[in-house]
Amino acid sequence: MTSSIPSAVTVPSNNVVPSTSTTTEPSTSAEPVAVAVEDSSNLDNDLLDILGIDPTTDKKYGKDLHKDLSVRLQHWTTVGLDKDLKKELKDRYLTPGNCKLIDPPILNAEMKAAISDINVKRDKAIEAKQKVLTSAIVCLGEAITLLLPSKDKDTNLIKLLMDAIRIICECQHSD
C-alpha cells in the first residue's frame, strides 16, 4: 500500500517508519511505504540555525548581459570553441613584439628530460591554455590601444576592458 502524498520518499516496508496514513498498524506487506518529506518552511528557527545557511542562496550575481551574448558565452564555456575558430583566433592575435613576456614560458629540453612524462603532458596542457589567454590579452590590448588616442574617450569602456585584461593576466600569472 502506498500513500498518494505528492512529495514522498519510498522506503522498504520492513523498516520502522512513521506512517502518513490514518491507520496505526505497521505494514506487513512487501510493498514499499511512502514517507512524506517535510517542507523546510515548517521548521522552526532553532532547527534552521542548526542546519546552517542554505548554500543555494549564498551566490550573488551581477547585472544581466544581453540575452544573445549570454547564450553564446554559456555555450562556449561549457562546450568550448570550434577547433577551427580557436586556431583562427590564436593566429589573429599574435604576441606583440613589445610585450613578449605575456607568452607562456616553454619548458626547456633539460627540464623536460628530468621530469616524468605525466608532468611534461601537464605542462603542455597549461602552456596550451596560456596561449589562449595570451590571445585574449592581445585582443583586449588591441581594443584598448584603439581607444586610448581617441578624443572622446569612453572611460567607462576603457575601465571595463582594463578590468578584463587584468583578470586574464592574473589567470596567466597563476598558471
Side-chain angles (χ1 to χ4, degrees):
M1 174 177 157
T2 59
S3 174
S4 61
I5 298 173
S7 60
V9 175
T10 304
V11 294
S13 63
N14 57 353
N15 290 342
V16 178
V17 176
S19 176
T20 57
S21 66
T22 55
T23 63
T24 57
E25 298 175 23
S27 175
T28 56
S29 69
E31 294 180 26
V33 174
V35 177
V37 177
E38 291 291 325
D39 184 8
S40 67
S41 63
N42 296 335
L43 297 178
D44 64 27
N45 287 338
D46 290 337
L47 286 176
L48 289 173
D49 286 343
I50 292 170
L51 292 176
I53 296 171
D54 180 355
T56 61
T57 60
D58 275 352
K59 185 73 175 169
K60 293 181 182 178
Y61 294 96
K63 294 183 270 184
D64 284 352
L65 300 176
H66 189 280
K67 66 179 180 115
D68 292 326
L69 175 61
S70 171
V71 169
R72 286 159 179 81
L73 294 178
Q74 291 184 89
H75 175 79
W76 294 329
T77 56
T78 57
V79 176
L81 294 178
D82 175 79
K83 184 178 164 182
D84 295 332
L85 177 59
K86 187 175 170 180
K87 181 178 177 355
E88 177 188 329
L89 291 171
K90 285 192 329 187
D91 291 345
R92 186 182 310 160
Y93 300 106
L94 300 174
T95 305
N98 67 346
C99 203
K100 295 175 186 171
L101 293 179
I102 65 171
D103 252 346
I106 307 298
L107 191 63
N108 64 38
E110 293 83 13
M111 285 299 297
K112 200 180 277 190
I115 62 176
S116 69
D117 287 344
I118 292 172
N119 286 328
V120 171
K121 287 180 184 179
R122 180 181 169 273
D123 186 75
K124 279 289 184 198
I126 292 171
E127 181 186 328
K129 183 174 108 177
Q130 286 183 317
K131 286 182 180 182
V132 173
L133 291 173
T134 297
S135 296
I137 293 167
V138 172
C139 181
L140 287 167
E142 287 182 13
I144 294 167
T145 299
L146 288 172
L147 294 172
L148 289 177
S150 173
K151 289 181 183 178
D152 297 324
K153 290 177 182 57
D154 185 346
T155 56
N156 289 329
L157 179 59
I158 293 171
K159 183 182 178 334
L160 289 170
L161 293 171
M162 283 303 299
D163 286 349
I165 207 167
R166 286 181 184 111
I167 293 166
I168 296 171
C169 284
E170 177 55 28
C171 290
Q172 184 81 314
H173 169 75
S174 67
D175 274 346

